[in-house]
Amino acid sequence: MGRKDKGEQPDPAPYGEQCKYDPSFRGPIRQRSCTDIICCILFVVFLAGYIVVGILAWLYGDPRQVIYPRNSTGSYCGIGGNRGKPYVLYFDLLQCVTSLNILATAMNGLQCPTTQICVASCPDAFWVVPPVGLLPGTKPADVLNQAWCEPSLNLSLTTLTVSQILSRELCPRYTIATTPIFNRCFPDFNTPAMDNFSLPNRTPNETKQLISSGAQQIVKSLNAKDIGTKIFEDFASSWYWILIGLLIAMVLSLLFLLFLRLVAGVLVWVLILGVLAVGAYGIYHCWREYSALRTAGATVSNIGFTTNLSVYSSVQETWLAALIILAVVEGVLLLLLIFLRKRILIAIALIQESSRAIGYMMSTLFYPLVTFLLLLICVAYWAMTALYLATSGTPLYRVTSSNSSDPRCSGILGNDTCNPMTFNASRYLPCPATGCTFHTYDAEGLFQRNLFNLQIYNALGLLWGANFALALGQCVLAGAFAAYYWARDKPRDIPPCALGGALLRTLRYHTGSLAFGALILTIVQLIRILLEYLDHKLKGAQNPFTRCLLCCLRCCFWCLEKFIKFLNRNAYIMIAIYGKNFCTSAKNAFKLLMRNIIRVVVLDKVTDLLLLFGKLLVVGGVGVLGFFFFSGRIEISDPQFRSPSLNYYWLPILTVVVGAYLIAQGFFSVYSMCVDTLFLCFLEDLERNDGSVEKPYYMSSSLMKLLNKKNKKAETK
């Protein structure tokens, strides 16, 4: 029973058969054909549509809506006929703050039901029309200020009285001290005179409360112009020191990668023993705390359940549980170290070989600049398209009045559209002080009705384009490093311009495969974004079951995204070597890795540990150096090399730290790709060859020595 019949075939291996020897294989295949053509065509069509969307957005959009404010007639302040008048003055801020926040009103394009005009500067004084100014016979020019009135009104020539001008809102009834924020004149609450200023029939406190409603906290907490000016000054005085800090980060990253060839083994064992030492100290500390609390400390039965977690630090069972957990983890790590020591040595040898490969092909370290440029293009195109789409539509104007509560205005205000160029206020009498005010942007056209769909298309274009740029970089680097591994005599047999050849080969034959892998990842990322959006929108309205379901879905798709990134990365390596389509390459890579799963885990964790240490070394070193320099803690006698005087010394420090991280990430991503590529090639080398004269190994002598293998030499007569 269980015995196979004579003619029965054996069961295939669960993860496929090992690679067969191919005498014609000499590294990345040169004679190859195009792969995943349908997806390539789909990607090209999508890009063509993306360009069309960008053109339509450029034709219909107007980003000046974001940059420049509008007055009541919809004209932009600061350009065109209002050149030299960049600020918007609100005649009656009380009408703005009764329903909408001033800042939100201005930024969203919604206008307050009061006249707004473009002015050259914001008022800096408190003023109210005096009672004597309303008496008959008073000249408007003696009471009102021409700078704060409608440009169409000439106070010296007008026949209107002051009362008529104010009722028609051609000039403001009062002005207050304001400061420009986002080119809007907002109240300046830092002015001491504000405490004594009052409107008619209002106390100073009531006046201040009314005017500051909805705007006071914004103006107090954010003076955008002041902060922006200080930030600009800091960057202007420290930019060359920031560049020096980034240059230091680049040199440190490069030296770390090159020195790994010499110190990788020592460094890995130091890091591993360091982790074990930290665990051992944790066990000792937990035992010491438990011993101290065992006689006089509280117990769980005495404390019970409490939400004050700090209480549990004085409970003896807490330290006992931590002691047991740390001891188990420490024991597992020691057992893994004992049984996996040989695989750790193989991982170290591969890391050293990767450093040697980068040393022979230094141009690969600068390829991330190409990827960065492509990502920058994707993000810039997406941002500009989103901006133009959001600002598309022609402006719409509505009839408004400062006396909107007047029963004579019912049925007129807020419904009738108008044209500010041909508006005639006499048509709407007896409704007083009517005007044609900008309301919003037309959303009724075919293009405007589909803005949401176009924004989704724009977001899809960003994700697909960015993922394609990353995939291109991975495949190109894999092709270059695979050419290094399969060179028989290194460095003599390494192809010249291996990186350039891999780039041309990838673009010519495998654009469709890269687009296919990028599309799969993009779909998963879109679903994750949708889940995050739903979680944000349903927060507060969802029951516990819905929260649990959304949390599980987010966790599952996060794991799925990580797995797809891992699978895509190895599929691109196989594409670069063998030139097969995406699905076949992903399947072969997955089976090859699963046949060597323990080696995969060990190499992955050892590499992650090394690169994490490298990032901490580069970013931490540059960050500490930047902190001591920009904060003035490093005393330098020569004023030429002394740190500049800064408003916010943390700003250049933060810039240097972020820049150092991006530089280290770029260098180490190349190194990580090199390790993964050489690892797959190493696994295939073990399966294809046996060290005989006909099938010699391509791996380095150090790897063969670790595996107790060697190449047999041909017998000479």
Side-chain angles (χ1 to χ4, degrees):
M1 188 172 177
R3 185 177 59 187
K4 296 181 183 293
D5 294 334
K6 187 175 181 179
E8 186 179 354
Q9 297 294 330
D11 293 334
Y15 297 110
E17 298 181 355
Q18 293 190 356
C19 300
K20 297 294 191 297
Y21 173 70
D22 182 4
S24 62
F25 180 74
R26 294 291 185 273
I29 296 174
R30 299 182 182 276
Q31 300 297 326
R32 55 179 73 193
S33 58
C34 297
T35 56
D36 296 304
I37 299 176
I38 295 178
C39 196
C40 179
I41 296 173
L42 178 63
F43 186 58
V44 171
V45 172
F46 177 85
L47 289 181
Y50 199 19
I51 294 174
V52 171
V53 170
I55 293 174
L56 291 175
W58 181 75
L59 292 175
Y60 287 95
D62 187 2
R64 293 180 300 175
Q65 301 172 21
V66 178
I67 302 173
Y68 302 102
R70 287 179 180 266
N71 60 15
S72 296
T73 63
S75 300
Y76 293 111
C77 296
I79 59 175
N82 293 316
R83 188 177 300 276
K85 298 180 179 180
Y87 308 115
V88 167
L89 172 65
Y90 298 86
F91 275 15
D92 190 357
L93 283 173
L94 298 181
Q95 298 187 40
C96 297
V97 301
T98 52
S99 58
L100 293 171
N101 177 275
I102 296 177
L103 182 60
T105 300
M107 293 301 291
N108 292 334
L110 302 174
Q111 301 296 304
C112 300
T114 185
T115 302
Q116 299 126 59
I117 63 170
C118 300
V119 294
S121 60
C122 293
D124 57 359
F126 297 96
W127 170 84
V128 180
V129 175
V132 294
L134 301 176
L135 298 176
T138 304
K139 295 181 180 180
D142 297 336
V143 179
L144 306 174
N145 189 338
Q146 181 69 57
W148 316 133
C149 296
E150 282 278 8
S152 59
L153 175 68
N154 190 323
L155 294 178
S156 301
L157 302 177
T158 184
T159 58
L160 299 175
T161 64
V162 174
S163 298
Q164 291 174 329
I165 291 174
L166 297 179
S167 64
R168 298 182 184 183
E169 278 206 0
L170 298 177
C171 291
R173 294 177 177 271
Y174 65 91
T175 62
I176 61 176
T178 56
T179 182
I181 299 179
F182 298 111
N183 285 18
R184 277 86 175 173
C185 296
F186 284 161
D188 185 3
F189 295 98
N190 295 322
T191 304
M194 184 68 186
D195 298 331
N196 301 320
F197 173 72
S198 63
L199 294 174
N201 302 321
R202 302 281 185 181
T203 65
N205 287 335
E206 291 175 340
T207 300
K208 186 173 182 178
Q209 279 187 342
L210 285 172
I211 296 177
S212 64
S213 175
Q216 183 176 5
Q217 296 302 323
I218 298 173
V219 177
K220 276 188 173 182
S221 61
L222 176 62
N223 190 330
K225 183 178 180 180
D226 184 48
I227 294 177
T229 302
K230 291 181 179 179
I231 290 176
F232 179 79
E233 290 175 353
D234 287 346
F235 276 118
S237 59
S238 63
W239 65 269
Y240 47 92
W241 293 112
I242 293 175
L243 291 180
I244 292 175
L246 298 181
L247 181 62
I248 294 174
M250 186 174 66
V251 172
L252 285 178
S253 300
L254 182 60
L255 291 177
F256 182 81
L257 295 182
L258 295 179
F259 285 162
L260 281 181
R261 185 192 306 186
L262 304 175
V263 301
V266 176
L267 189 57
V268 168
W269 287 114
V270 168
L271 292 176
I272 292 175
L273 294 177
V275 172
L276 293 175
V278 171
Y281 174 77
I283 294 174
Y284 166 73
H285 182 75
C286 292
W287 169 253
R288 191 177 63 181
E289 293 291 337
Y290 173 69
S291 300
L293 295 172
R294 187 166 49 180
T295 55
T299 62
V300 174
S301 58
N302 296 335
I303 298 295
F305 176 77
T306 176
T307 56
N308 186 7
L309 300 181
S310 61
V311 175
Y312 289 103
S313 62
S314 60
V315 177
Q316 54 180 293
E317 286 87 354
T318 302
W319 295 103
L320 179 62
L323 173 64
I324 295 173
I325 294 173
L326 285 177
V328 171
V329 172
E330 187 81 356
V332 171
L333 290 177
L334 284 173
L335 290 175
L336 289 176
L337 182 62
I338 294 172
F339 289 105
L340 299 178
R341 63 187 185 280
K342 189 172 182 179
R343 290 182 170 86
I344 294 175
L345 291 174
I346 294 174
I348 293 172
L350 281 170
I351 290 171
Q352 291 172 328
E353 189 68 17
S354 300
S355 183
R356 190 176 295 111
I358 291 176
Y360 287 133
M361 295 186 292
M362 294 292 291
S363 58
T364 56
L365 287 175
F366 300 97
Y367 184 83
L369 294 176
V370 178
T371 303
F372 176 77
L373 180 61
L374 293 176
L375 291 176
L376 187 63
I377 292 173
C378 291
V379 173
Y381 186 83
W382 164 80
M384 293 302 298
T385 303
L387 177 62
Y388 274 87
L389 286 174
T391 57
S392 63
T394 56
L396 296 178
Y397 301 87
R398 296 285 176 86
V399 178
T400 59
S401 173
S402 59
N403 298 322
S404 56
S405 59
D406 196 317
R408 294 174 295 178
C409 300
S410 60
I412 297 176
L413 303 180
N415 296 321
D416 286 7
T417 59
C418 57
N419 186 337
M421 304 303 296
T422 60
F423 179 73
N424 185 3
S426 61
R427 292 179 50 195
Y428 297 93
L429 294 175
C431 181
T434 55
C436 187
T437 305
F438 169 74
H439 174 64
T440 184
Y441 295 94
D442 184 18
E444 300 300 324
L446 177 63
F447 182 80
Q448 284 73 30
R449 288 199 304 269
N450 291 278
L451 283 180
F452 180 77
N453 298 329
L454 293 176
Q455 290 285 20
I456 295 294
Y457 192 98
N458 188 32
L460 179 62
L462 170 66
L463 294 176
W464 199 358
N467 288 327
F468 178 83
L470 294 173
L472 178 64
Q474 292 174 353
C475 195
V476 169
L477 291 173
F481 292 129
Y484 165 84
Y485 185 91
W486 296 108
R488 173 65 63 188
D489 185 10
K490 303 175 181 65
R492 183 174 60 87
D493 292 340
I494 299 176
C497 300
L499 184 65
L503 176 60
L504 295 177
R505 190 165 56 242
T506 302
L507 290 176
R508 179 178 178 182
Y509 296 109
H510 306 303
T511 300
S513 297
L514 302 185
F516 188 18
L519 178 61
I520 296 174
L521 182 59
T522 298
I523 293 173
V524 175
Q525 289 173 339
L526 277 178
I527 296 175
R528 282 197 63 203
I529 293 174
L530 178 61
L531 291 175
E532 294 290 343
Y533 176 78
L534 289 176
D535 181 67
H536 176 72
K537 285 295 183 182
L538 297 178
K539 194 170 292 182
Q542 55 190 349
N543 54 39
F545 173 76
T546 307
R547 281 199 303 270
C548 180
L549 180 61
L550 272 177
C551 183
C552 292
L553 287 174
R554 290 163 58 197
C555 181
C556 290
F557 276 96
W558 180 84
C559 295
L560 180 61
E561 181 183 354
K562 294 298 180 183
F563 173 75
I564 290 177
K565 285 182 177 180
F566 172 78
L567 188 62
N568 284 4
R569 183 184 182 89
N570 291 281
Y572 298 146
I573 296 174
M574 301 299 280
I575 289 172
I577 298 174
Y578 298 105
K580 297 182 179 180
N581 60 49
F582 177 82
C583 293
T584 302
S585 300
K587 180 188 69 175
N588 293 339
F590 179 75
K591 289 182 176 180
L592 179 63
L593 293 174
M594 292 303 296
R595 291 197 296 268
N596 302 271
I597 186 61
I598 297 180
R599 286 173 175 165
V600 172
V601 174
V602 172
L603 178 71
D604 185 57
K605 297 309 171 188
V606 171
T607 306
D608 288 347
L609 185 63
L610 265 181
L611 297 186
L612 175 62
F613 176 77
K615 290 178 184 177
L616 292 176
L617 179 66
V618 174
V619 178
V622 174
V624 170
L625 180 62
F627 171 77
F628 279 97
F629 178 77
F630 288 112
S631 62
R633 286 173 170 80
I634 298 180
E635 296 183 2
I636 301 176
S637 57
D638 191 345
Q640 184 178 357
F641 300 101
R642 195 176 300 164
S643 61
S645 178
L646 302 172
N647 298 297
Y648 310 108
Y649 72 87
W650 51 263
L651 191 65
I653 298 174
L654 184 62
T655 305
V656 168
V657 168
V658 173
Y661 175 79
L662 294 176
I663 290 173
Q665 180 68 21
F667 277 100
F668 294 167
S669 66
V670 174
Y671 192 84
S672 178
M673 197 68 204
C674 183
V675 172
D676 290 346
T677 303
L678 297 187
F679 179 59
L680 282 182
C681 294
F682 164 73
L683 296 179
E684 293 237 346
D685 192 11
L686 281 177
E687 294 186 355
R688 285 179 176 275
N689 305 308
D690 57 9
S692 62
V693 177
E694 295 81 11
K695 297 185 289 183
Y697 291 115
Y698 284 81
M699 68 184 73
S700 63
S701 57
S702 59
L703 282 170
M704 284 192 287
K705 185 177 180 180
L706 286 173
L707 298 172
N708 294 322
K709 298 180 182 295
K710 63 179 180 178
N711 284 331
K712 296 179 181 179
K713 296 182 179 180
E715 296 182 0
T716 57
K717 295 183 179 180

